[in-house]
Amino acid sequence: MRAFPPNSVKQAAAATDNRDGRAGRGSPARARGGQQIDEALLRPAGFIGLLGIAMIHFVDLFKTWKERPLIGVAFLALIIACLLAAGELARNPRRGWQAAGILAALALLGYIVSRTWGLPTSRDDIGNWAEPLGLAALFVEGLVVAMSVWATAALRGRAGAGVPQT
């Protein structure tokens, strides 16, 4: 078996990236292959994810409002908050990503609580893990949480490196 010498070009590029404030090896802002990914490329997906969360809950809003008004109010609050967070994501990425992550995580938590212990006005959904809209919501909310964590870390890395924020 032949041993290859380390790639000195890649090592030099990584050392230069670390010195001049760019994301280093292992940083969330760095993709495989050493290419830096800009958080701004992820913003449209986060925007659409927030709109997806709002839409999924809007589809179920009217039925839920009639059957369980307290949960309907929570759905309406989540819809409005997701729309506001999507707008904030376009204006101020750092706060927008933080709001997106918190909202999606709270929605995930609400789904989990409603399926395990039940909510104060409803115990009907306990054990109902396979509801199609619920699964769609879990998927989108999970993606938004993951994107939010990554983007927030990337923005924090840029701020710590002295790179101006967008």
Side-chain angles (χ1 to χ4, degrees):
M1 180 178 268
R2 181 176 166 189
F4 292 97
N7 188 337
S8 59
V9 174
K10 284 185 181 178
Q11 288 177 347
T16 303
D17 286 351
N18 285 334
R19 275 195 314 258
D20 66 6
R22 284 188 254 159
R25 197 177 293 204
S27 168
R30 181 170 285 288
R32 259 186 242 154
Q35 298 171 345
Q36 190 168 354
I37 296 176
D38 192 5
E39 170 274 336
L41 296 175
L42 196 57
R43 246 181 269 159
F47 187 86
I48 291 170
L50 285 167
L51 295 181
I53 294 170
M55 183 196 66
I56 289 168
H57 287 85
F58 182 77
V59 167
D60 207 25
L61 176 65
F62 300 104
K63 181 182 84 155
T64 303
W65 192 282
K66 284 182 184 177
E67 295 173 2
R68 299 165 286 191
L70 184 62
I71 297 171
V73 168
F75 275 22
L76 185 59
L78 178 64
I79 291 166
I80 292 168
C82 282
L83 295 175
L84 292 173
E88 189 65 25
L89 190 57
R91 282 192 313 259
N92 184 341
R94 181 179 297 275
R95 285 194 327 198
W97 279 119
Q98 290 170 349
I102 290 169
L103 286 171
L106 286 173
L108 275 169
L109 182 64
Y111 186 85
I112 291 168
V113 168
S114 73
R115 296 325 191 244
T116 53
W117 301 288
L119 295 172
T121 60
S122 174
R123 305 254 186 257
D124 299 342
D125 284 329
I126 294 176
N128 186 16
W129 292 95
E131 182 183 354
L133 273 178
L135 292 176
L138 281 178
F139 179 74
V140 176
E141 291 157 2
L143 286 176
V144 170
V145 167
M147 288 187 292
S148 173
V149 168
W150 186 90
T152 302
L155 287 171
R156 182 175 295 135
R158 284 194 336 202
V163 177
Q165 297 174 15
T166 56

